[in-house]
Amino acid sequence: MASTKALAALDDKNEQQHWSVYSKTRSTINEQPLSHDELDKTTRYFHASLYLCLGMLYLKENPLLRDPLEKEHIKPRLLGHWGSDAGQSFTYIHFNRMVKKYDLDAFVVSGPGHGAPGLISNFYLEGVYSEVYPNKSEDVEGLQRFFKQFSFPGGIGSHMTPETPGSIHEGGELGYSLSHAFGAVFDHPQTIALTIVGDGESETGPLATSWHSNKFLNPITDGAVLPVLHLNGYKINNPTVLSRIGEDELIKLMEGYGWTPYVVAGHNLDEMHQAMAGTVEKCVQEILAYQKEARESGRVFRPKWPMIILRSPKGWTAPRKVEGHFLEGFWRAHQIPLTKVLSDDVQLQTLEKWMKSYEPDKLFGKEGKLVPELRALAPKKGKRMSENPITNGGSLTKPLKLEPFRNWAMEVKEPGVSSGLSMNNFAEFLKDIMAKNPTNFRLFGPDETESNKLSAVYEATKKVWVNGYLPEDEDGGNIAPEGRVMEILSEHTVEGWLEGYTLSGRHGLLNSYEPFIHIIDSMVNQHAKWLEKCAEVSWRQAVSSLNILLTSTVWRQGRRLTITDSSSDS
Amino acid sequence: MASTKALAALDDKNEQQHWSVYSKTRSTINEQPLSHDELDKTTRYFHASLYLCLGMLYLKENPLLRDPLEKEHIKPRLLGHWGSDAGQSFTYIHFNRMVKKYDLDAFVVSGPGHGAPGLISNFYLEGVYSEVYPNKSEDVEGLQRFFKQFSFPGGIGSHMTPETPGSIHEGGELGYSLSHAFGAVFDHPQTIALTIVGDGESETGPLATSWHSNKFLNPITDGAVLPVLHLNGYKINNPTVLSRIGEDELIKLMEGYGWTPYVVAGHNLDEMHQAMAGTVEKCVQEILAYQKEARESGRVFRPKWPMIILRSPKGWTAPRKVEGHFLEGFWRAHQIPLTKVLSDDVQLQTLEKWMKSYEPDKLFGKEGKLVPELRALAPKKGKRMSENPITNGGSLTKPLKLEPFRNWAMEVKEPGVSSGLSMNNFAEFLKDIMAKNPTNFRLFGPDETESNKLSAVYEATKKVWVNGYLPEDEDGGNIAPEGRVMEILSEHTVEGWLEGYTLSGRHGLLNSYEPFIHIIDSMVNQHAKWLEKCAEVSWRQAVSSLNILLTSTVWRQGRRLTITDSSSDS
């Protein structure tokens, strides 16, 4: 077969290591930080989360399987994603340990937001979900309602939608997890955004360039982002690019983006828990050390921030094969893992056996609540990631300090005689806003602030640049590490930063030319849909508006065939 | 000053080498392949091109400055870009040498298409422009018209617009140079696409992920792309990210993307010519060697293809400073380098002196044509990059071999009774098309061919995958190095590939869900505008249509808050 022949050639020529997660566990950090007792509890907590994931996907009745599983207990239409749930839950649980140990202020951004059960299950286990939605209580009845509502008519979506506490990022349209996370930690110096990046998402353009956000983060006045690139190996029906390149290439790619990558790879639970525990702790220690160094010295520098490459099987802990076909560790685990439970008794039994293998009776007490010794693994009230007020940013929003805009009115003595420059005038107003709101407002744009005649703002603050400098920059470069105007030639990145900045309770404005703003049509639509739904969720506080200032007009670019205006020309 | 203090910290902490191009010339390849005579001629040819660039930007009369320069000779409104012209021209001229020496079939894609003079000047020097537009003849009169028409009412745009022979990529909306180039060389095994990637463009999301196109290129049946990442250091008003990271990071980034980077950096003309000549030749030799190896053995593998990192000053060969401010090597060189020539006699004299420094009298003969000894540097007729028929792809388009679509009609015996699956049925038609057109049609999509129920096509051909393989892939993976279905989770990349594939004379279809297709709204608009203008250019042959098959509907994603259809859910 031609493909097999070629396959051999691929192996041979590239000397690629094809990192099957079923090889032995590998980790950059080789420590065993968890005691036997901690290891056991971590596994059980993980199992509790995975049990809840399957419950959300399948059950509308009989939530703890205290009765034999019958078809009547199963939802009539099965919709949801299992593939990335385990890896996301695994990551979240290990970061919980850090939140407790280092008293962190943290929250999570889920790039693969369609794998919502992996995180929603955790938000329920730590109690936040029931506090927000009292009828999804921590008992058998509440659990039944919690399961049934998931991806069910009248219930919640299968993504990290606005109804989900702890979320500012749905993860529907892929590519914006890192830019949202960075946006949320700018001017939040105490905050760490644990950011799970899917390996499907990592193929998108917006995500691919957003790794460079680290060149715009000030370690003194901003928080930190800890990306976890979750390589579970597959998209809907395809392997992912980054999971199949040689690991030498992958490491270089992340180092090239300016990060320090740490690998955790495997499937054996005990070994993976130890590897992840040690790795997450190493990363947190590095983040805190870099921040301490910058803040004590008062010197801005660009650390090679840590990030984690997590290789775990897609659909981890599912049966490896079902009916002769790969399930765990293959793309078939992407959505509903067993699709025929309603029509096939054997599959129904397989599901029951699988769910019971997590031993729900030992995880949940008689009344249906997570047993106290496991609950103790979650951070204490007030510190749980899913209740971080950043994820309900409207609760943090402070009004902008604004002078009356009429102060910048242009005098019109008689009609048709006065003249003035609207953008230059507006720039003076904007300069005043930036000066009066030094931690609550930022100006964003792809590289057009100057050509849009807004350069008066540089009298209040420069463009942020935490990257190399040259002597020429003193000649009107207007860049500085502590600047608050944010420009990178990626409309996706600046829009993602602005969205993250406003969703976490601040204000901003993006300026761009109308001819090119269509590049982010789709992003703006997604944001508008998020806001629209938020308005229907009673506990969500309104965030500030998404301000976009457009100059020039789209038709200019469409007809740039004769003469064009240099102010609208890149 | 805080920024200076922080600047020092940046230097100190990151141990970055801030690659000022004014340091000494550096090159990965240290050879001196050019004889003294070749070096001299190459410089003069380069000077001829640069002279033409300035002529296009400034002059409407007196094209060879045989009269003293007067304001009346200058265009009344100055529009155009000087910044990247020299680097692009430099690259093109050095690749010409390779086209001649190795008898290559090549063409150029200009990412910074707004720096069009750098290439249009070359197309004129090698004679193609005058052959296509006889009134832009190779004499003083033709040259005057050639200059005047540039970015002038009734003339041509300041980008690589459809009127420009040799172009399939305008470079207006940035980010698509590499995906277009790859699209054009798929199934064109003899062709090399010299692709200039701007360092502004390199910050866009679409470009950042399109480097991964090398995992989808078959070295036996496809051609090759030689990317030249042109770091001139600045965008409109900002330094670029990639020009200011440490070179260790930049090298790793490119290696991480799967390329073998070669650096050429500096500003000294003689040294840079030697460095670039040696480097381009090394790259061409590697490309040809990889192709030979794959083709002689019949074994597909993924070479670590060569690419070039070219660091040259923005606005190279302009005055370094004007009126006390940096021009060459700074962002002020982005557009018109001397902006006040119409109102400032000193600037007018500076321009005249600068243009005369290229010694036009020695470059162009009495009648105004490039002197024969320089013209001999260009490839011979039939091999010049700007006349490659790929860049007028309609001239290569062959009709698809299609059976009558009614052969797949579904029988309707009586109204309201028959039922069938439209997509599954269409898939059979598509399978037939793919089987009958094995080098003239490809199917593209972000990862939805299977969920869009088109998997019948896999009986004709698999998904192309020139990346690592695992044993699981045999279990319905449907991937193969010689596949012709193209999937990567980047709508931008697959759309760019499809555009490049059709613009270079072939056929294709992109399938995706309507909810996410808005991601490429803007790209599709740009393509439509390109086609619209092509229809007005008499020598452009029509290319095949851009076929996009959309499934599901946009409203489903917008309302994915209750229940969603798994077939439309990623």
Side-chain angles (χ1 to χ4, degrees):
Chain A
M1 199 177 107
S3 68
T4 308
K5 183 178 157 198
L7 189 161
L10 282 163
D11 280 344
D12 176 41
K13 284 301 302 178
N14 294 332
E15 302 169 48
Q16 288 184 2
Q17 303 163 63
H18 299 142
W19 293 118
S20 169
V21 289
Y22 299 101
S23 311
K24 89 183 170 63
T25 307
R26 295 175 309 105
S27 177
T28 312
I29 304 297
N30 285 304
E31 288 176 13
Q32 308 278 319
L34 303 178
S35 69
H36 183 78
D37 180 58
E38 283 175 305
L39 184 59
D40 175 63
K41 284 177 180 162
T42 305
T43 295
R44 289 166 62 212
Y45 196 102
F46 186 40
H47 279 171
S49 155
L50 296 173
Y51 182 85
L52 295 189
C53 292
L54 288 178
M56 280 184 261
L57 295 180
Y58 284 104
L59 301 184
K60 65 183 174 71
E61 303 291 344
N62 190 17
L64 285 171
L65 294 182
R66 288 177 180 172
D67 298 318
L69 183 59
E70 304 286 347
K71 284 172 192 167
E72 291 71 37
H73 303 146
I74 304 286
K75 300 183 189 188
R77 192 166 181 199
L78 300 171
L79 294 170
H81 295 75
W82 166 252
S84 74
D85 293 2
Q88 294 201 70
S89 175
F90 179 78
T91 301
Y92 190 86
I93 290 168
H94 280 280
F95 207 75
N96 270 346
R97 182 169 158 267
M98 295 300 96
V99 171
K100 289 181 69 176
K101 184 164 178 178
Y102 293 91
D103 193 32
L104 301 178
D105 174 59
F107 74 103
V108 65
V109 173
S110 167
H114 50 282
L119 295 179
I120 297 179
S121 60
N122 273 285
F123 302 168
Y124 179 88
L125 288 177
E126 63 198 19
V128 170
Y129 208 93
S130 303
E131 290 163 23
V132 173
Y133 297 108
N135 78 331
K136 310 298 183 304
S137 46
E138 295 185 83
D139 52 30
V140 179
E141 265 193 13
L143 191 59
Q144 179 266 330
R145 284 192 286 262
F146 175 72
F147 282 172
K148 186 178 174 183
Q149 68 160 359
F150 179 83
S151 210
F152 199 82
I156 65 169
S158 66
H159 287 54
M160 294 282 280
T161 54
E163 295 95 331
T164 299
S167 174
I168 59 165
H169 175 91
E170 176 169 342
E173 184 174 302
L174 300 176
Y176 318 130
S177 61
L178 279 175
S179 55
H180 282 167
F182 272 90
V185 304
F186 291 139
D187 296 319
H188 278 150
Q190 302 311 317
T191 306
I192 299 178
L194 172 68
T195 306
I196 303 167
V197 180
D199 51 354
E201 178 186 21
S202 70
E203 295 176 13
T204 68
L207 196 287
T209 200
S210 67
W211 293 105
H212 290 299
S213 298
N214 54 13
K215 284 96 192 174
F216 299 86
L217 185 112
N218 181 323
I220 299 178
T221 55
D222 299 328
V225 172
L226 176 60
V228 179
L229 175 61
H230 182 210
L231 302 182
N232 68 30
Y234 298 90
K235 295 166 287 196
I236 309 179
N237 287 104
N238 273 307
T240 57
V241 170
L242 295 190
S243 74
R244 296 287 183 99
I245 62 177
E247 193 148 289
D248 57 332
E249 284 187 354
L250 181 61
I251 297 282
K252 282 179 178 172
L253 185 64
M254 290 299 131
E255 291 177 345
Y257 278 127
W259 299 85
T260 303
Y262 292 94
V263 175
V264 175
H267 80 296
N268 176 288
L269 268 193
D270 283 359
E271 294 172 10
M272 286 291 281
H273 280 312
Q274 294 288 10
M276 192 66 168
T279 301
V280 168
E281 186 152 6
K282 173 74 173 165
C283 293
V284 168
Q285 288 171 343
E286 283 191 4
I287 287 170
L288 298 177
Y290 285 134
Q291 291 178 333
K292 184 164 184 261
E293 182 180 351
R295 293 167 193 189
E296 289 186 352
S297 67
R299 304 197 327 166
V300 176
F301 61 97
R302 174 162 69 85
K304 307 225 173 189
W305 297 102
M307 61 82 61
I308 297 172
I309 295 168
L310 170 63
R311 291 184 192 267
S312 65
K314 183 136 187 161
W316 197 10
T317 74
R320 174 71 167 132
K321 279 196 169 188
V322 170
E323 295 158 15
H325 292 295
F326 287 107
L327 179 62
E328 188 206 48
F330 203 44
W331 53 254
R332 286 196 190 83
H334 183 71
Q335 296 189 10
I336 297 293
L338 298 167
T339 55
K340 295 183 290 185
V341 291
L342 282 165
S343 60
D344 181 328
D345 288 340
V346 176
Q347 279 212 353
L348 188 68
Q349 286 161 24
T350 303
L351 176 63
E352 184 177 27
K353 191 176 155 198
W354 173 12
M355 291 186 74
K356 286 201 161 177
S357 75
Y358 298 130
E359 304 189 285
D361 288 343
K362 297 182 183 170
L363 306 173
F364 300 93
K366 193 177 175 185
E367 74 293 356
K369 182 175 178 172
L370 185 68
V371 296
E373 64 170 11
L374 295 186
R375 176 60 169 271
L377 265 63
K380 65 178 191 297
K381 194 164 177 166
K383 299 298 290 185
R384 296 165 297 185
M385 286 190 271
S386 57
E387 64 179 326
N388 193 313
I390 279 181
T391 64
N392 185 13
S395 65
L396 299 174
T397 305
K398 296 187 186 105
L400 272 185
K401 291 172 188 160
L402 279 177
E403 297 299 316
F405 65 87
R406 287 189 175 80
N407 290 2
W408 286 271
M410 294 170 82
E411 199 177 9
V412 179
K413 286 187 174 170
E414 54 179 304
V417 173
S418 305
S419 74
L421 297 165
S422 58
M423 289 295 279
N424 306 53
N425 188 47
F426 174 67
E428 295 292 329
F429 182 31
L430 203 54
K431 175 177 80 180
D432 190 66
I433 295 172
M434 298 201 76
K436 287 199 169 68
N437 299 273
T439 62
N440 197 26
F441 181 91
R442 291 195 184 218
L443 178 62
F444 302 83
D447 179 25
E448 297 154 8
T449 300
E450 173 95 17
S451 60
N452 280 333
K453 308 189 193 309
L454 297 176
S455 52
V457 299
Y458 300 142
E459 295 165 28
T461 181
K462 304 297 182 196
K463 290 175 277 194
V464 58
W465 189 256
V466 190
N467 204 350
Y469 281 74
L470 286 175
E472 289 87 336
D473 300 325
E474 298 295 316
D475 181 23
N478 286 318
I479 56 175
E482 67 275 19
R484 303 179 51 73
V485 178
M486 310 202 68
E487 298 203 319
I488 180 173
L489 213 168
S490 164
E491 285 82 357
H492 296 104
T493 303
V494 289
E495 169 69 14
W497 287 344
L498 172 59
E499 289 177 3
Y501 198 65
T502 57
L503 288 172
S504 57
R506 284 79 58 81
H507 307 263
L509 182 146
L510 186 152
N511 78 98
S512 187
Y513 310 150
E514 195 187 354
F516 295 129
I517 203 70
H518 300 258
I519 290 170
I520 52 167
D521 272 2
S522 193
M523 281 187 85
V524 174
N525 284 344
Q526 297 294 318
H527 185 72
K529 286 193 285 190
W530 177 271
L531 294 183
E532 183 193 26
K533 190 65 197 173
C534 283
E536 298 169 17
V537 175
S538 61
W539 54 268
R540 288 245 176 219
Q541 303 293 308
V543 298
S544 62
S545 59
L546 187 85
N547 303 307
I548 302 183
L549 173 65
L550 299 184
T551 61
S552 183
T553 73
V554 63
W555 307 111
R556 296 297 286 273
Q557 200 219 9
R559 295 294 175 191
R560 64 159 74 236
L561 300 159
T562 52
I563 201 159
T564 57
D565 182 330
S566 64
S567 72
S568 70
D569 210 7
S570 67
Chain B
M1 198 176 105
S3 69
T4 307
K5 184 178 160 198
L7 189 160
L10 282 164
D11 280 344
D12 179 39
K13 287 298 303 178
N14 295 332
E15 300 170 49
Q16 289 185 2
Q17 302 164 64
H18 299 141
W19 292 118
S20 169
V21 290
Y22 298 101
S23 311
K24 88 183 171 64
T25 307
R26 296 175 310 103
S27 177
T28 313
I29 304 296
N30 285 304
E31 288 175 13
Q32 308 278 321
L34 303 177
S35 69
H36 184 78
D37 179 59
E38 284 174 307
L39 184 59
D40 175 65
K41 285 178 178 161
T42 305
T43 296
R44 289 167 62 212
Y45 197 101
F46 185 41
H47 280 171
S49 156
L50 296 173
Y51 182 85
L52 295 189
C53 292
L54 288 177
M56 280 185 260
L57 294 180
Y58 284 102
L59 301 184
K60 64 183 174 72
E61 303 291 343
N62 191 18
L64 285 172
L65 295 181
R66 288 178 179 173
D67 298 316
L69 182 60
E70 304 286 347
K71 283 172 195 169
E72 292 70 38
H73 303 146
I74 305 285
K75 300 182 189 189
R77 193 165 178 199
L78 300 171
L79 295 169
H81 294 75
W82 165 251
S84 74
D85 293 2
Q88 294 200 71
S89 175
F90 179 76
T91 301
Y92 190 86
I93 290 168
H94 280 279
F95 208 75
N96 270 346
R97 183 171 157 266
M98 294 299 97
V99 170
K100 289 182 69 175
K101 183 164 178 179
Y102 294 91
D103 193 30
L104 302 178
D105 174 60
F107 73 104
V108 66
V109 173
S110 166
H114 49 281
L119 295 180
I120 297 178
S121 60
N122 274 284
F123 302 168
Y124 179 87
L125 288 178
E126 63 199 17
V128 170
Y129 208 94
S130 303
E131 290 164 23
V132 173
Y133 298 107
N135 77 332
K136 311 296 183 305
S137 44
E138 296 185 82
D139 51 33
V140 178
E141 267 193 12
L143 191 59
Q144 179 267 330
R145 283 192 288 261
F146 175 72
F147 284 171
K148 184 178 176 184
Q149 68 160 359
F150 179 83
S151 211
F152 199 83
I156 64 169
S158 67
H159 287 54
M160 293 283 280
T161 53
E163 295 95 331
T164 299
S167 173
I168 59 166
H169 175 93
E170 176 169 343
E173 184 175 302
L174 300 176
Y176 317 130
S177 60
L178 279 176
S179 55
H180 282 167
F182 272 90
V185 303
F186 291 139
D187 297 319
H188 278 150
Q190 302 312 318
T191 306
I192 298 178
L194 173 68
T195 306
I196 303 167
V197 179
D199 51 354
E201 178 186 20
S202 70
E203 295 176 14
T204 68
L207 197 285
T209 201
S210 67
W211 293 106
H212 290 298
S213 298
N214 54 14
K215 283 94 190 175
F216 300 85
L217 185 111
N218 181 324
I220 299 178
T221 55
D222 298 329
V225 172
L226 176 60
V228 178
L229 175 61
H230 182 211
L231 301 182
N232 69 31
Y234 297 90
K235 295 167 288 198
I236 307 179
N237 287 104
N238 274 306
T240 58
V241 170
L242 294 190
S243 74
R244 295 287 181 100
I245 62 177
E247 192 148 289
D248 56 333
E249 284 187 353
L250 181 61
I251 297 283
K252 283 179 178 173
L253 185 63
M254 290 298 131
E255 290 177 345
Y257 277 127
W259 298 85
T260 302
Y262 292 93
V263 175
V264 175
H267 79 295
N268 176 288
L269 268 193
D270 283 358
E271 293 173 10
M272 286 292 281
H273 279 312
Q274 293 288 9
M276 192 66 168
T279 301
V280 168
E281 186 151 8
K282 172 74 173 164
C283 293
V284 168
Q285 288 171 343
E286 282 191 5
I287 288 170
L288 297 177
Y290 286 134
Q291 291 178 333
K292 184 161 183 262
E293 182 180 353
R295 293 168 192 189
E296 288 186 354
S297 68
R299 303 195 329 165
V300 177
F301 61 96
R302 173 162 70 84
K304 306 224 172 187
W305 298 102
M307 61 82 60
I308 297 172
I309 295 167
L310 171 63
R311 291 184 192 267
S312 66
K314 184 138 187 159
W316 197 10
T317 74
R320 175 70 168 134
K321 280 197 169 188
V322 171
E323 294 156 18
H325 293 294
F326 287 107
L327 179 62
E328 189 205 46
F330 203 43
W331 53 252
R332 286 196 190 84
H334 183 71
Q335 295 188 12
I336 295 293
L338 298 167
T339 56
K340 297 183 287 184
V341 291
L342 282 165
S343 59
D344 180 329
D345 288 339
V346 176
Q347 279 212 354
L348 188 69
Q349 285 162 24
T350 303
L351 176 63
E352 183 176 29
K353 190 175 156 199
W354 173 12
M355 291 186 73
K356 286 202 161 178
S357 76
Y358 298 130
E359 304 189 283
D361 288 342
K362 296 182 183 170
L363 306 172
F364 300 93
K366 192 175 176 188
E367 76 292 359
K369 181 175 179 173
L370 186 68
V371 297
E373 63 170 12
L374 296 185
R375 177 61 168 270
L377 266 62
K380 65 179 189 298
K381 193 164 179 169
K383 299 299 289 185
R384 296 165 297 186
M385 287 191 270
S386 56
E387 64 178 326
N388 193 313
I390 280 180
T391 64
N392 185 12
S395 66
L396 298 174
T397 305
K398 295 186 188 105
L400 273 185
K401 290 172 190 162
L402 279 177
E403 297 298 314
F405 66 88
R406 288 190 176 79
N407 291 2
W408 286 270
M410 296 170 80
E411 201 177 8
V412 180
K413 285 187 175 167
E414 53 181 307
V417 172
S418 307
S419 75
L421 297 165
S422 58
M423 289 294 280
N424 307 53
N425 188 47
F426 174 67
E428 295 293 328
F429 182 31
L430 204 53
K431 176 178 80 180
D432 191 67
I433 294 172
M434 299 200 76
K436 287 198 169 67
N437 299 274
T439 62
N440 198 25
F441 182 92
R442 291 195 183 217
L443 177 63
F444 302 82
D447 179 24
E448 296 154 7
T449 300
E450 173 95 17
S451 61
N452 279 334
K453 305 189 196 311
L454 297 176
S455 53
V457 299
Y458 300 142
E459 295 165 29
T461 181
K462 304 297 182 197
K463 290 175 277 195
V464 58
W465 189 255
V466 190
N467 204 350
Y469 280 74
L470 287 174
E472 288 89 336
D473 300 325
E474 297 295 317
D475 181 22
N478 287 318
I479 55 175
E482 67 275 20
R484 303 179 50 74
V485 177
M486 311 204 68
E487 298 203 320
I488 181 172
L489 214 168
S490 165
E491 285 81 358
H492 296 105
T493 303
V494 290
E495 169 68 14
W497 287 344
L498 172 59
E499 290 176 3
Y501 198 66
T502 58
L503 288 171
S504 58
R506 284 77 59 80
H507 307 263
L509 183 147
L510 186 152
N511 77 98
S512 187
Y513 310 151
E514 195 187 352
F516 296 128
I517 204 68
H518 300 258
I519 291 169
I520 51 167
D521 273 2
S522 193
M523 281 187 85
V524 174
N525 284 344
Q526 297 295 319
H527 185 72
K529 286 193 286 191
W530 177 271
L531 294 184
E532 183 193 25
K533 190 66 196 172
C534 282
E536 299 170 15
V537 176
S538 62
W539 54 269
R540 289 242 177 221
Q541 304 293 309
V543 298
S544 62
S545 58
L546 187 85
N547 302 307
I548 302 185
L549 172 65
L550 299 184
T551 62
S552 183
T553 74
V554 63
W555 308 111
R556 294 298 286 273
Q557 200 221 9
R559 296 294 175 190
R560 66 159 72 235
L561 299 160
T562 53
I563 201 160
T564 56
D565 182 330
S566 64
S567 73
S568 69
D569 209 8
S570 67

